């Protein structure tokens, strides 16, 4: 075959180096295609998998020896394209370059604090990824944006930023101190730096000065945030995207360069004469020398998206495609509709990066996802067995997984798998061990069912039914993000094609498509190596981007056009330097646009919107923005200015590297190699098994059938039909499927599926509310909850899980049922916010709709839906409706008890407006200060309810009313079982530790008000009485907590102590009898002020409950509510503190805990929008309580006011310190100080409202967390972040990513 090499073009290689396998696609001379899959790590046989793949193919094709220990001859190779997980793995495992962070003085811990929210709101042990940097150097320097309203008189130099904004130099760089600090780093062997200053996005003067000095001193890698990604935010949504991207660059790029150097060293000339391109996260290739860390995170998965996008999408039909890539640990889903969908800010392994990335969404369900049966419910993941030990069938002592379930059902055939399993990796898949493990689990399931009342007791399950149940639950788990990805942007999920690839996806494709209402599935012939093939198809991309701060008006069009031209020329020149001709280069400009005074920016192309007389010459970007905004959110903001945040150009060098090769046409029917028994929902079916080598173009295969090859298995389910295309791809037409009737009796599998369906409905209600709302609080901060309720008003499903909303809406719905009775009619919608009616505090407005459906010939009320949203202002004595010193509820804003906002289908706008303005009748108070937003958001809440009604009605059409209502009750009962099991375990542990199951605890508010709790657990019944008798009376202030808030705190604590996901509904409280004295601070009178009860007393309730159970020490116990404003501006924030330590963990520092999880505004944005400078924001060492496990430290935060404003503080734990536990010491209490410009220092106490002037400084110190356990004698028990003694079975968790995950995280931090 050697003569082939000289006859035609040289070899071309596209390679995906994944975490477990490396896939190689090669075009050999004469256009012959070879594919290869090998282990990414096999040190006994080779050093580098991609290089080994190339070597094997060259040796096999040419017939000439290619020794592993000799360099590969690059004269045979045209190009190498590669995607790699090197950057991702280094980030996950924290194995990047040793480096230091150089940052503006006062912000040394900014990246540690991040957005101050915790990743999992119910985890008492807060686990955060380790920092990427070893050391921090604070630089004495400060640039501040000039403001016309600023009344602080400073004589300083002014400079113009690249965005047109003017800045004042408040402090030049202290070069002498910086030089000394950098010298210390060099002594420690650190030679990599990331430099981050507050406003360097627009003025890089100080960063460049530092960068130049560092290079002169010998630092080998200096990454400036102004170079890497000059975007506005230093802490986007509280996380430092600009700095982290530069940090990521400094941390990862040296790691990537080392890998590239090692790879290249195995080729003659070090690959200098061969084009080596790497896939970037945005789906474009880049030369190896320009490949950097922050653009490498999704290098491998991006190839798969390009692969399915360019092989399954048809411009003629315009049918959008959902990519479904199911691997071992997780599943990636994405969407393509003619253009790649990008996101520009993502969080990976705790690192938030601002860079264009394909919107690839990960769900923690893959072939290795572990299977659990918990409290009567089938649970899949999120834990994964990984490759080691792997599933049971791998014969390495692993747990049951989805792979085992497919093997048990006959969907995976061991005889078609290589013998690579077992300790010596020479055994076949072990089906017998899988069956034994499932037999044991089936017994556990049947034991539970036999303990249940009614029909469920009589029903037992077979091994196959249990395995099938886990498959169905896994499928529903994977459907949820697909629904969210499409519905969130206004697309109909069912109108998509499902493109399936990855090793495990083919076994689930038919079921997933059917569940989503899709009619077709596409599986490419290279589906098992599609990421590698995608790299062969991809284009080379170079992007240029710069910040902007101009309104999109005729006055700025020339500036925008000029900058687009400059950036376009930069892209063209760069691509020409890589060998592309002009005709091969395309450029596409984008503007990052948002409405003024909003945070919701959209990256817009004007490709479909030609230029007009009133637009940029590159197209009508405003029309594109308005069109997309309307599509995604359902409305536009008339007469609102549009602002340009960034200008971006994407340059593409067209490569046209790969082409399809047709296969031979079938001469007859496909012949199966065997017939096997395969289990489906209605039992076993005879299933024909085909091998890909035996089928050709034109073959049609009816289900049930299995198509297999060495790398993948595709299951064609009954009633589905597969056909082989001219290129050898598989197209599947989805049939109706096998319908199995579902009854009202409890079915453990259906229980899990309905749990997902109910939650999906609540989530989709939330998407509608977010899309159609107008206010920042709801649309951008996502401070809302949506829920559905059974016919008795009991909570069934609630999304998202905002702690202070948990269970609270149930009280509201049931109050309206009692209050209105038969007067709650069809066409009515109720508005309520009063604490006596189940409200939390007045700004949280709840909208309730009663749902009627046809049943037995008549319309009947069968369930309820509700949405609760935080409105920014509803009147009262202070802007923001969060007064520090309110004494009655009337001072806190508009009050709604049972107000019909819609009556018989008519929106009652006039009466509603009057109610919103009522607070203005009280002296010193005001009606709503933003009535238009109130009305718009209420319309959005009503629309969200209507979406819920539609989705539940569809569920009723599918299953029947009786079945849906039965499973509403089953879901609630399941939560009752889970909490009951938890209470039995706690009773057992408590009795062993103390000899009793009666627990007691108390704590105090700063005014001395006592919160007392006695818990009496019945170990046999799994029930408990929570008795708050002895708690203080209602107070003459605003720290009174409505009963609904008290119950929310109780549900939150129970969920935290359960330790795993359970349906959060009224069932959680069924095993619990709560005794809350009427007229106490926890159930006050109807006139009591409550704003502090919602945000402060709720935290103390949690502290008392957890103290009674001796679960952990106290967290900071405060939300640190800070408000400032005047007639023109207003701002509200909550601030992080120290978290609790526990028996196996240290408390985390600088983070929110328990009943809040709000993100914080980034310092750069803060200073641009408000007449305030954030002087510092850092940890306060030593404020966490000492202990064997010390508590987390609080933070220090300072504001310098630039004009006259009113400042309000509403805080706790300024007197009584957060308690330590089991010998651990208390955390330090917080401090609120006002540093007047004239030198006076005044303590504001815990709650106050004061006028401040230019030059005054507010100094906040938040409380630390309590320590746990007596401090070790040898140590001081001080905070050492991340110390833990926790151990457990080995398992792997997927790192979640994508817009759906980002949205969920944003919701949980609202």
């Amino acid at each position: 075959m050697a003569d082939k090499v000289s006859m035609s073009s040289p070899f071309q290689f596209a390679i995906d180096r994944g975490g477990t396998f490396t896939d190689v696609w090669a075009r050999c001379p004469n256009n012959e295609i070879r594919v290869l899959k090998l282990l990414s790590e096999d040190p006994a046989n080779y050093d580098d998998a991609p290089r080994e793949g190339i070597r094997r193919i060259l040796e096999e094709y040419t017939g000439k020896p290619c020794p592993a220990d000799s360099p590969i001859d690059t004269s045979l190779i045209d190009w190498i394209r590669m995607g790699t997980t090197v950057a991702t793995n280094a980030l996950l495992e924290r194995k990047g370059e040793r480096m230091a962070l150089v940052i503006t003085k006062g912000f040394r811990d900014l990246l540690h604090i991040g957005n101050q929210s915790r990743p999992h709101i119910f985890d008492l042990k807060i686990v955060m990824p380790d920092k990427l940097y070893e050391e921090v150097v604070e630089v004495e320097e400060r640039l501040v944006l000039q403001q016309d309203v600023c009344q602080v008189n400073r004589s300083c130099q002014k400079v113009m930023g690249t965005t047109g904004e003017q800045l004042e130099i408040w402090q030049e760089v202290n070069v002498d101190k910086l030089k000394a600090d950098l010298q210390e780093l060099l002594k420690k062997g650190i030679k990599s730096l990331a430099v981050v200053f507050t406003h360097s996005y627009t003025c890089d003067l100080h960063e460049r000065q530092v960068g130049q000095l560092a290079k002169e001193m010998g630092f080998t890698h200096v990454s400036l945030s102004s170079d890497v990604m000059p975007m506005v935010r230093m802490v986007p949504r509280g996380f430092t995207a600009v700095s982290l991207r530069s940090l990521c660059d400094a941390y990862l790029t040296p790691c990537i360069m080392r890998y590239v150097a090692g790879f290249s060293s195995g080729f003659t000339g070090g690959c200098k004469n061969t084009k080596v391109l790497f896939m970037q996260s945005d789906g474009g290739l880049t030369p190896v020398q320009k490949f950097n860390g922050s653009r490498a995170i999704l290098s491998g998965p991006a190839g798969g998206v390009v692969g399915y996008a360019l092989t399954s999408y048809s411009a003629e039909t315009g049918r959008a495609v959902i990519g479904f890539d199911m691997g071992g640990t997780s599943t990636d889903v994405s969407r393509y509709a003619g253009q790649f969908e990008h996101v520009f800010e993502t969080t990976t392994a705790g690192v938030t990066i601002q860079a264009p990335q394909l919107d690839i969404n990960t769900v923690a369900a893959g072939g290795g996802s572990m299977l659990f049966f918990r409290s009567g419910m089938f649970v899949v993941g999120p834990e994964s067995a990984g490759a080691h030990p792997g599933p049971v069938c791998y014969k390495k002592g692993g747990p049951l997984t989805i792979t085992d379930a497919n093997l048990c059902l006959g969907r995976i055939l061991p005889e078609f798998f290589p013998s690579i399993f077992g300790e010596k990796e020479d055994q076949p898949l072990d089906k017998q061990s899988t069956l034994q493990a499932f037999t044991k689990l089936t017994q556990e399931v049947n034991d539970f069912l036999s303990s249940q009342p009614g029909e469920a007791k009589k029903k037992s399950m077979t091994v196959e039914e249990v395995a099938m149940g886990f498959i169905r639950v896994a499928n529903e788990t994977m459907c949820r993000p697909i629904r969210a990805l499409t519905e969130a942007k206004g697309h109909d999920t069912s109108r998509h094609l499902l493109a399936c690839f990855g090793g495990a996806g083919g076994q689930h494709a038919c079921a997933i498509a059917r569940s989503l209402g899709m009619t077709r599935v596409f599986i490419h012939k290279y589906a098992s190596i599609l990421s590698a093939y995608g790299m062969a198809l991809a284009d080379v991309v170079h992007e240029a981007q710069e910040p902007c701060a101009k309104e999109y008006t005729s006055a700025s069009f020339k500036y925008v056009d000029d900058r687009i031209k400059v950036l376009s020329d930069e892209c063209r020149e760069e691509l020409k330097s890589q060998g592309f001709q002009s005709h091969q280069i395309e450029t596409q400009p984008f503007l990052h646009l948002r409405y003024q005074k909003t945070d919701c920016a959209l990256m817009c192309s004007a490709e479909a919107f030609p230029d007009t007389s009133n637009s940029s010459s590159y197209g009508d970007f405003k029309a594109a923005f308005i069109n997309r905004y309307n599509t995604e959110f359902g409305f536009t903001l008339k007469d609102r200015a549009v602002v340009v945040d960034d200008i971006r150009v994407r340059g593409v060098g067209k490569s046209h590297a790969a082409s399809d090769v047709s296969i031979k046409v079938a001469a007859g029917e496909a012949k199966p190699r065997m017939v096997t028994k395969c289990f489906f929902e209605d039992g076993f079916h005879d299933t024909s098994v085909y091998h890909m080598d035996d089928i050709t173009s034109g073959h049609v295969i009816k289900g049930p059938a299995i198509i297999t090859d060495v790398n993948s298995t595709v299951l064609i389910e009954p009633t589905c039909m597969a056909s082989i295309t001219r290129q050898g791809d598989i197209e599947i037409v989805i049939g109706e499927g096998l319908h199995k009737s579902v009854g009202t009796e409890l079915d453990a599998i259906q229980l899990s599926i309905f749990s997902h369906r109910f939650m999906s409905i609540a989530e989709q209600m939330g998407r509608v509310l977010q899309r159609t709302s107008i206010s920042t609080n709801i649309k951008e901060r996502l401070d809302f909850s949506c829920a559905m309720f059974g016919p008795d008003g009991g909570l069934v499903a609630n999304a998202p899980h905002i702690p202070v909303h948990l269970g609270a809406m149930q009280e509201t719905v049931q109050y309206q049922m009692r209050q209105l009775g038969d007067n709650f009619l069809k066409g009515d919608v109720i508005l309520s916010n009063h604490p006596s009616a189940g409200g939390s505090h007045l700004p949280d407005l709840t909208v309730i709709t009663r749902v009627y459906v046809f049943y037995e010939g008549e319309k009947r009320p069968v369930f309820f839906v509700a949405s609760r949203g935080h409105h920014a202002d509803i009147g009262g004595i202070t802007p923001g409706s969060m007064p520090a010193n309110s004494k009655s509820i009337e001072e806190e804003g508009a009050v709604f008890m049972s107000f019909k906002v819609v009556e018989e289908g008519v929106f009652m706008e006039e009466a509603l407006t009057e109610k919103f303005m009522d607070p203005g009748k009280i002296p010193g108070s005001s009606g709503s200060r933003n009535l238009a937003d109130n009305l718009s958001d209420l319309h959005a809440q009503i629309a969200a309810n209507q979406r819920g009604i539609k989705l539940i009605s569809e569920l009723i059409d599918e299953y029947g009313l009786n079945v849906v209502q039965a499973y509403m009750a089953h879901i609630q009962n399941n939560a009752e079982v889970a909490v009951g099991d938890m209470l039995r375990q706690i009773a057992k542990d408590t009795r062993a530790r103390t000899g009793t199951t009666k627990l007691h605890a108390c704590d105090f508010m700063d005014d001395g008000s006592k919160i007392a709790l006695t818990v009496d657990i019945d170990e046999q019944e799994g029930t408990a009485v929570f008795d708050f008798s002895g708690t203080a009376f209602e107070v003459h202030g605003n720290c009174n907590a409505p009963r609904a808030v008290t119950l929310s705190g109780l549900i939150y604590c129970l969920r935290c102590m359960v330790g795993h996901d359970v349906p959060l509904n009224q069932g959680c409280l069924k095993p619990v009898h709560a005794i809350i004295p009427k007229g106490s601070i926890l159930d006050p009178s109807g006139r009591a002020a409550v704003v502090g009860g919602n945000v402060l007393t709720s935290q103390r309730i949690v502290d008392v409950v957890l103290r009674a159970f001796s679960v952990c020490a106290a967290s900071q116990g405060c939300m640190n509510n800070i408000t400032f404003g005047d007639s023109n501006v207003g701002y509200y924030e909550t601030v992080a503190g120290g978290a609790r330590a526990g028996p196996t963990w240290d408390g985390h520092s600088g983070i929110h805990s328990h009943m809040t999880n709000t993100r914080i505004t980034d310092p750069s944005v803060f200073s641009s929008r408000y007449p305030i400078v954030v002087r510092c924001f850092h940890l306060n060492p030593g404020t966490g309580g000492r202990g064997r496990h010390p508590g987390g430290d609080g933070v220090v935060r300072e504001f310098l006011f630039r004009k006259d404003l009113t400042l309000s503080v509403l805080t706790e734990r300024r007197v009584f310190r957060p308690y330590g536990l089991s010998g651990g010491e208390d955390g330090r209490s917080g401090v609120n100080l006002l540093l007047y410009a004239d030198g006076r220092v005044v303590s504001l106490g815990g709650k106050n409202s004061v006028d401040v002037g230019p030059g005054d400084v507010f100094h906040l110190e938040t409380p630390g967390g309590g320590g746990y356990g007596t401090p070790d004698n040898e140590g001081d028990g001080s905070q050492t972040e991340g110390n833990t003694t926790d151990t457990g079975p080995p398992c792997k968790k997927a790192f979640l990513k994508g817009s759906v995950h980002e949205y969920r995280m944003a919701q949980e931090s609202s």
Side-chain angles (χ1 to χ4, degrees), residues 47 55 57 333 362 390 407 420 450 470 545 620 761 800 823 828 871 895 976 1076 1127 1143 1168 1179 1193 1232 1282:
D47 295 328
R55 188 194 69 78
I57 289 175
V333 296
T362 300
L407 179 63
I420 57 173
S450 66
F470 281 110
Q545 181 171 320
D620 193 344
I761 289 170
N823 194 32
D828 290 350
H871 288 236
V895 178
E976 178 183 0
I1076 307 172
S1127 58
S1168 67
L1179 299 182
D1193 290 328
N1232 303 326

Side-chain angles (χ1 to χ4, degrees), residues 730-768:
I730 302 173
E731 289 186 353
I732 305 173
V733 176
I734 304 300
E736 292 186 358
L738 304 169
H739 294 284
K740 183 179 179 181
S741 62
V742 178
T744 57
E745 70 279 2
L746 174 65
D747 179 294
I749 301 168
Q750 286 297 148
L751 181 70
S752 300
I753 291 172
F754 268 104
S755 176
H756 280 287
R757 293 293 292 272
F758 289 149
M759 277 300 296
S760 180
I761 289 170
E763 288 166 353
Q764 289 186 64
M765 289 174 65
R767 286 291 193 168
V768 170

